[in-house]
């Protein structure tokens, strides 16, 4: 297995064998219970009917009956079923049927690509995408989402901050084609 965080350059490859990579010691296809529990700071699962949280505020989870859920309950449910496990080191694991099916990398890990200061430089480093989506808000270009189907990845370019802001690998919408 190749640890993505030890070789971030591999993320720019046009062809990735996702069966041979892991993130934070957890491989795609591994049980979600193998995600290091101590690093999980938030979770998303269908057991949660209402969520409240934000900057400088502890997360609160409630089920459909209004009962407050602990983070452990939400993590356990997401790890056994479907959801997302968000880690303190700004990594996210997508879970389906108790199995890790996707990785999301954002935050300081992507400073590795800080030398890319234009969308054209991103294209030179990552290659031409199979599909590119312009992200606009109120007529302003916010950025691009580039999809690389063979590598099953998407790369988000932030046009305001001129940087790579997110890389998804695996089973995320758009990563495998139309």
């Amino acid at each position: 297995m190749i640890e993505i965080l030890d070789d971030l350059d591999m993320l720019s490859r046009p062809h990735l064998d996702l069966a041979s990579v892991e993130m934070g010691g957890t491989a795609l296809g591994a049980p979600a219970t193998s995600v290091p529990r101590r690093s999980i700071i938030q979770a998303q699962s269908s057991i949660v009917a209402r969520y409240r949280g934000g900057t400088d505020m502890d997360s609160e989870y409630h089920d459909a009956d209004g009962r407050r859920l602990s983070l452990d309950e939400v993590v356990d449910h997401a790890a056994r079923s479907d959801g997302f496990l968000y880690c303190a080191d700004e990594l996210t694991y997508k879970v389906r049927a108790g199995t890790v099916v996707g990785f999301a990398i954002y935050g300081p890990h992507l400073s590795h690509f800080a030398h890319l200061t234009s969308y054209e430089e991103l294209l030179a480093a990552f290659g031409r995408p199979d599909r590119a989506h312009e992200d606009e808000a109120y007529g302003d270009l916010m950025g691009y989402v580039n999809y690389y189907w063979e590598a099953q990845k998407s790369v988000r370019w932030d046009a305001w901050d001129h940087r790579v802001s997110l890389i998804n690998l695996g089973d995320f919408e758009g990563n495998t084609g139309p």
Side-chain angles (χ1 to χ4, degrees):
M1 283 287 158
I2 300 168
E3 174 58 55
I4 290 171
L5 301 177
D6 292 340
D7 185 8
L8 291 168
D9 283 329
M10 75 178 307
L11 294 172
S12 63
R13 293 181 193 162
H15 311 288
L16 286 174
D17 177 8
L18 295 185
S20 69
V21 299
E22 62 184 12
M23 182 177 79
T26 301
L28 283 175
T33 54
S34 66
V35 175
R37 186 67 167 238
R38 68 191 178 287
S39 69
I40 300 171
I41 58 168
Q42 191 176 348
Q44 180 181 332
S45 171
S46 62
I47 195 174
V48 177
R50 189 172 54 101
Y51 168 78
R52 183 174 172 228
T55 306
D56 299 326
M57 161 185 249
D58 289 336
S59 296
E60 290 181 14
Y61 303 94
H62 298 269
D63 68 12
D65 295 329
R67 182 177 70 84
R68 187 168 181 172
L69 302 166
S70 69
L71 175 60
D72 284 337
E73 288 176 290
V74 178
V75 168
D76 287 342
H77 190 269
R80 288 189 321 267
S81 60
D82 299 341
F84 292 88
L85 301 174
Y86 302 95
C87 298
D89 50 1
E90 298 193 34
L91 302 172
T92 298
Y93 299 85
K94 183 177 181 181
V95 179
R96 182 174 298 122
T99 301
V100 175
V101 297
F103 299 145
I105 304 165
Y106 45 99
H109 299 288
L110 297 179
S111 66
H112 179 80
F113 299 105
H115 64 282
L116 304 175
T117 59
S118 71
Y119 183 63
E120 291 73 26
E121 289 177 4
L122 171 104
L123 293 175
F126 283 82
R128 292 273 170 207
D130 294 296
R131 181 174 153 239
H133 169 75
E134 288 186 359
D135 184 15
E136 293 183 354
Y138 305 107
D140 292 326
L141 177 65
M142 306 303 287
Y144 298 92
V145 182
N146 290 351
Y147 298 95
Y148 300 88
W149 297 334
E150 193 168 330
Q152 294 181 27
K153 73 178 173 188
S154 59
V155 179
R156 180 176 289 273
W157 176 257
D158 183 321
W160 287 61
D161 291 332
H162 306 285
R163 65 183 179 89
V164 175
S165 60
L166 175 69
I167 297 177
N168 286 334
L169 297 172
D171 191 8
F172 286 91
E173 185 178 339
N175 280 6
T176 57

